[in-house]
Amino acid sequence: MFVLGREAVASARGQVVTSVLTVAMVAGMCVAVLMTTGRTAAAEDAALAEIDAAGTRSIVVRADADARLTANVIDRLQAVTEIDTAIGFGPIVDARNAQVPDGPKVPLRNGYGTLDGRSLVVPDLPDRALASTEAIQTLGFRDGLGALRTDTGHELVVSGKLEVPAYATFLEPLVVIPSSKPDAPSGTRPTDPLTVLIVLADSPRHVAPVSDTVKSLLEAADETKITMETSQELATIRTAIQGELGSYGRGTVLVILAVSAALVAVNLLTLVSIRRKDFGRRRALGATRSLIVALLLTQTALLAGIGALVGVAGALTALSVTGSPLPGPSFVIAVVIAAVLTALLGALLPAISAARKDPLHELRVP
């Protein structure tokens, strides 16, 4: 393998013009893909991220305390495969910093289920609560920890910070009493009332069916005291943007790759024609056809790799200078791999042609 690589490098250095053309073609292919489809993909990611920030997968149910919406609905929602997570909050109780009786109030709620990957399981110590950064600032807790006193005189201790995801920011400032059990999100009191239920579908396209499922599970509740908000419109927009931009990007990439493969093939066919005596001499000295093919493909892979790196560096620099969004690392790596594979595909027929040359005939031709 080392000998083959060394021979490929020597061969590439011996044909400077052809090598430079191959590098330039592959670099141009990478630049074309990144400046068109890459820019489109980056813009799509930015647009989808902005839409997702608005909560394209969320379904929010609001209910009065006497609407008969209870915590046990979360247990049933957890069994639905299209649901990523479900979390419920009980009625609000106002609470203040126990050391500042006249301080600002924050809403205190019982929490059931999982919020942003954190299970709201009842802690080992009683009367413990979790608070968001905004709630901690409102309460004036210097180290994020402190005592709360509710309007009813009950005291609790804020023992940890709670990260609030974008789909639940409307609850801020958020202070939660974890009320779930490890094996039952509804906890020890599944009939406790909920006033807010947030359901997150596993994909924007499942928002509609998940909404229907949630509605069916709320039949026992008083519909006149319940409202449900979905992100179906945002989910539809997201799907449309993703589909349209993705279709455009795939078409552009295929055209660029096809043209590049054809150019590489023409360039290497010219190389094979120029070096036919060299290939004939190698065959006469015992080189197998597979070795000739491997030599040309290795040479092409080395040149294509250099061209891909040069093209990627140039395209990313141009995008940065113009202030355009940059494609993600996975897209860039995919472009490099696609560029090298396309060059190899274009080189395959010329390599086979070189390997099939008759050594006696080629050495006789002047």
Side-chain angles (χ1 to χ4, degrees), residues 27 29 56 61 111 150 153 156 158 171 202 283 290 292-294 304 307 309 339 342 345:
M29 171 174 54
T56 54
V61 178
T150 67
L156 302 96
V158 173
L171 296 170
D202 62 356
R283 291 279 289 117
S290 60
I292 299 296
V293 171
L309 294 177
T342 299
L345 181 63

Side-chain angles (χ1 to χ4, degrees), residues 239-251:
T239 303
I241 290 177
Q242 190 174 24
E244 184 175 348
L245 294 180
S247 153
Y248 165 78
R250 285 190 295 271

